Amino acid sequence: MSNIGSYEERIRDFSWSISEKELGYNPGGIINIGWLCSDRICELGKAQKTGLIWENASGVVKKFTYNDIRLASNTIGQFLRDLGIKPEDRICLFMDKIPELYLGFLGILKIGAIAQPLFSAFGDESLFIRLENAWTRAIITQKKHLPKIRKILDKMPFLEFIIIVDQDPLKPLQSREIAFDLKNIPKVEVFEICPTRAESPSVLHYTSGTTGQPKGVKHVHYSIISQYLTSKWVLDLQDDDIYWCTADPGWVTGTSYGIIGAFSNGVTQCVLDAGFSAESWYRFIEKYRITMWYSAPTAIRSLMKAGDEIINKFDLSSLRHLASVGEPLNPEAVIWSEKVFGKPFLDTYWQTETGSIMISNYPGMKIKPGSMGKPFPGITATVVSPDTYESFDVPGKIGLIALKPGWPSMMRMYWNNEETYKNKFRNGWYLPGDRSSIDTDGYFWFVGRDDDVINTGGHLVSPFEVESALLEHPAVAESAVVSKPDFVNMEVVKAFVSLKPGYQPSKELDLEIMNFVRKKLSPLAMPQEIEFMDSLPKTRSGKIMRRILHAREWGEEVGDTSTLEDDDK
Ligand code: WTA
């Protein structure tokens, strides 16, 4: 029996108070994600239950009971508090998927500070932009990431502490650096948890837009009301589940469902801190008898590409329930997973700003492969006209996805950017920036994004950020960045570049520029292809026309370029 039971019944008399009651939250009272994800689970009698099983690429395994998680997060919280970290200070987590990332996240929330997780593959420029925007006071990291931080340190007077979780005791520390070794520090048994309330800020996640710098999405402690219940009803987390969320907590899926949803439901979750290979993923499922697997279309397509034969080498019979997020899940992937795992991947749709699943397929509900499913109970979702922002009543008509604001995990603000935040609302709707249609049965069918943001392998990349990085290369005069189709990643980054006088296109220059972007931004943002042009197509006033280049890559009609040339908006 699934947790949700009947979707139809759940929507009929839904109230978020269901989740509030289950989590023991009294409206107006104290609510703290760190406490709900560790101390509360211990109080429920699961102190000795394994909460986290971690394995890395070399096969090292670490296990933590819920009591270990409680003590470790207390200890990290105390350490930060002793440094003088105050509620609402921003603390960046800049680590691979090591246990300290999960435990540190909860520790930060326990003292009322704001956790700012950043993808550890970010280069110095990506890191700097986000730390500067948030005026981050401390960063928790591993020694392997120090060179990137040291490179930008002079530009960051606000960053007071660089806390290194694996510092070699014999190596000298540099300015602002502090060693913190969870293994060798006395565990804090009794800890005063900050009495945060529903609207106290909790997490700051950065997401990319088409123009301008990345936006800091501010969430609050009350978000757990959504994350807990969606984990229970969509991911169907049950007491004896062994759960694997493949996302990195540098991105929202890795925190909302890889930390908060999992631990607040008190399940055992596994983390594989290693690169992707079909073999190692299947081995991981077999070894830990994973029952619930939350992953992403790019990973599923990569597994499809690896072929079906390899699957027969493993016992994957433990799998009970599968779900996916981040990009369109193509019908072939749903059908394939049903064939090889005996279960379809259920598509779920949401974004950093929504904090939790908005539209989804549910256990027991009829699946239409290729559809994102229906709104979560308590979520009012529709498709509106891009001109009037009125809801379309006609099935099949493509418009903008629109959500009625007011669910617990909705972002509360873009950090220091109220104008952009306000711009996301029209006619009483929150607009996530995606296009879709709704069929006669109420199922949503994703069509595409309503902006130029590139979704590569489920990760959003801003063309603006890549173009800016390209322009910093000495050879580059002009740049335009668009997506191009790719079987596995759905989209990859492609750059068009014109060179400054004295530079000639060459294979070496190609690689040099790619590498330049990879180091500055990240491997995700690195162009997979660079096309050199004498000059880029521009409007009369000199604005580069990305749309023409995009249409060319996707084999679409460019349309009337004479109007495009005048289009200087
Ligand atoms: C896209 C990730 C199609 C969409 C949780 C959204 C999807 C953006 C789906 C958010 C899906 C997410 N089908 N597209 N099931 N899920 N997207 O903020 O464009 O990293 O706005 O959050 O990914 O990406 P974000």
Side-chain angles (χ1 to χ4, degrees):
M1 178 68 179
S2 68
N3 288 331
I4 190 167
S6 152
Y7 172 75
E8 307 306 330
E9 272 173 37
R10 292 292 194 187
I11 48 175
R12 207 166 299 141
D13 48 5
F14 181 82
S15 155
W16 289 109
S17 65
I18 298 172
S19 183
E20 292 178 348
K21 284 204 188 96
E22 287 191 20
L23 289 173
Y25 167 65
N26 297 315
I30 292 170
I31 181 166
N32 185 286
I33 293 176
W35 184 83
L36 284 166
C37 288
S38 56
D39 301 62
R40 179 176 168 272
I41 306 298
C42 295
E43 285 184 8
L44 293 175
K46 297 197 212 172
Q48 296 316 317
K49 177 174 177 173
T50 304
L52 177 65
I53 303 177
W54 172 89
E55 185 173 318
N56 72 2
S58 342
V60 179
V61 177
K62 291 183 185 169
K63 293 188 181 180
F64 299 82
T65 63
Y66 271 98
N67 195 47
D68 295 334
I69 296 172
R70 179 181 73 84
L71 292 175
S73 52
N74 283 353
T75 308
I76 297 172
Q78 188 66 54
F79 181 82
L80 293 171
R81 200 177 261 167
D82 290 346
L83 287 178
I85 300 297
K86 299 267 177 307
E88 304 203 16
D89 282 346
R90 276 74 63 206
I91 312 300
C92 174
L93 293 153
F94 191 56
M95 284 174 270
D96 298 353
K97 289 194 273 182
I98 58 173
E100 284 85 346
L101 172 54
Y102 297 77
L103 304 166
F105 181 88
L106 299 179
I108 292 168
L109 298 188
K110 280 187 171 179
I111 61 164
I114 303 176
Q116 183 192 8
L118 290 177
F119 185 43
S120 65
F122 273 154
D124 54 289
E125 183 80 16
S126 292
L127 183 63
F128 172 68
I129 287 169
R130 289 157 178 82
L131 295 180
E132 191 198 31
N133 184 260
W135 275 63
T136 308
R137 238 187 123 190
I139 185 167
I140 310 179
T141 192
Q142 293 162 275
K143 57 180 182 237
K144 69 194 251 202
H145 299 305
L146 280 176
K148 294 191 277 195
I149 302 169
R150 286 177 180 161
K151 198 166 165 194
I152 51 176
L153 197 58
D154 287 349
K155 297 194 282 182
M156 300 193 294
F158 48 84
L159 186 75
E160 289 173 53
F161 308 106
I162 300 163
I163 301 160
I164 310 157
V165 296
D166 58 352
Q167 174 68 18
D168 183 343
L170 300 176
K171 284 249 168 78
L173 292 160
Q174 295 193 14
S175 141
R176 301 184 231 176
E177 293 174 0
I178 308 167
F180 172 82
D181 185 351
L182 191 57
K183 281 193 308 302
N184 297 326
I185 188 163
K187 296 290 171 295
V188 176
E189 178 66 46
V190 181
F191 186 64
E192 199 184 311
I193 291 174
C194 181
T196 45
R197 308 272 159 170
E199 293 305 306
S200 306
S202 55
V203 181
L204 189 62
H205 260 302
Y206 276 78
T207 187
S208 297
T210 309
T211 54
Q213 299 297 4
K215 299 163 284 186
V217 176
K218 185 175 106 175
H219 286 293
V220 294
H221 280 265
Y222 191 58
S223 70
I224 194 170
I225 300 296
S226 293
Q227 290 143 351
Y228 164 80
L229 199 64
T230 47
S231 300
K232 188 166 176 182
W233 287 5
V234 180
L235 306 184
D236 200 38
L237 294 185
Q238 303 187 6
D239 199 35
D240 53 358
D241 266 324
I242 309 288
Y243 169 58
W244 183 27
C245 170
T246 60
D248 186 309
W251 312 101
V252 73
T253 308
T255 54
S256 288
Y257 295 101
I259 302 181
I260 305 174
F263 292 145
S264 62
N265 275 277
V267 298
T268 300
Q269 79 153 326
C270 299
V271 170
L272 177 59
D273 180 18
F276 174 85
S277 86
E279 190 114 27
S280 64
W281 276 36
Y282 292 141
R283 188 197 53 76
F284 194 66
I285 294 170
E286 179 183 70
K287 179 169 178 191
Y288 294 104
R289 310 275 318 140
I290 305 285
T291 55
M292 200 290 143
W293 183 18
Y294 195 24
S295 199
T298 287
I300 302 165
R301 286 189 291 266
S302 304
L303 294 173
M304 281 172 81
K305 210 171 145 196
D308 297 0
E309 262 158 46
I310 178 174
I311 299 175
N312 299 327
K313 292 199 218 152
F314 298 90
D315 174 6
L316 307 179
S317 59
S318 56
L319 291 173
R320 176 179 77 75
H321 182 41
L322 322 175
S324 156
V325 65
E327 322 148 60
L329 181 64
N330 37 320
E332 300 76 28
V334 178
I335 294 161
W336 175 78
S337 72
E338 177 124 46
K339 184 181 89 186
V340 298
F341 305 125
K343 275 132 209 118
F345 270 96
L346 301 193
D347 194 12
T348 69
Y349 165 87
W350 58 291
Q351 57 173 195
T352 308
E353 287 88 337
T354 70
S356 67
I357 294 165
M358 295 284 108
I359 297 172
S360 180
N361 292 277
Y362 305 90
M365 190 174 95
K366 180 182 164 209
I367 290 177
K368 299 189 185 188
S371 160
M372 306 194 293
K374 297 185 178 190
F376 188 77
I379 302 296
T380 306
T382 189
V383 159
V384 297
S385 147
D387 305 316
T388 63
Y389 305 108
E390 296 288 340
S391 184
F392 282 148
D393 285 329
V394 195
K397 205 160 171 189
I398 296 168
L400 299 174
I401 297 181
L403 306 163
K404 187 67 67 198
W407 64 93
S409 66
M410 173 60 175
M411 72 161 158
R412 296 304 196 263
M413 187 52 73
Y414 285 130
W415 196 259
N416 279 337
N417 199 343
E418 194 169 351
E419 200 186 321
T420 311
Y421 172 78
K422 283 193 178 144
N423 241 324
K424 298 287 287 187
F425 298 87
R426 290 279 189 288
N427 195 23
W429 295 105
Y430 167 71
L431 304 176
D434 291 308
R435 289 176 298 130
S436 171
S437 66
I438 308 174
D439 70 15
T440 42
D441 297 327
Y443 284 71
F444 282 68
W445 295 80
F446 185 84
V447 174
R449 287 190 61 94
D450 190 45
D451 58 20
D452 291 343
V453 170
I454 300 167
N455 187 336
T456 179
H459 297 110
L460 305 186
V461 171
S462 152
F464 169 80
E465 262 189 280
V466 184
E467 286 164 3
S468 309
L470 284 165
L471 289 178
E472 285 178 44
H473 188 279
V476 175
E478 297 172 318
S479 69
V481 166
V482 297
S483 63
K484 73 169 207 172
D486 181 82
F487 171 74
V488 169
N489 291 289
M490 192 179 81
E491 297 182 344
V492 290
V493 176
K494 169 157 183 182
F496 293 87
V497 161
S498 72
L499 295 174
K500 286 188 183 151
Y503 289 94
Q504 293 302 320
S506 70
K507 268 233 141 53
E508 290 73 44
L509 185 58
D510 212 72
L511 287 178
E512 190 192 304
I513 296 175
M514 284 180 184
N515 219 7
F516 181 79
V517 177
R518 183 181 62 80
K519 279 206 173 138
K520 255 189 179 326
L521 299 183
S522 76
L524 303 168
M526 181 183 87
Q528 299 294 312
E529 186 187 338
I530 296 180
E531 187 171 329
F532 294 103
M533 294 176 114
D534 289 338
S535 74
L536 304 185
K538 287 190 220 57
T539 60
R540 285 199 189 120
S541 65
K543 194 178 151 211
I544 293 168
M545 289 189 292
R546 259 194 217 134
R547 269 188 279 171
I548 290 189
L549 300 166
H550 182 273
R552 224 188 68 185
E553 291 307 310
W554 290 81
E556 291 162 359
E557 289 286 313
V558 176
D560 184 354
T561 51
S562 65
T563 56
L564 272 177
E565 282 189 28
D566 286 329
D567 179 9
D568 257 6
K569 284 193 288 286

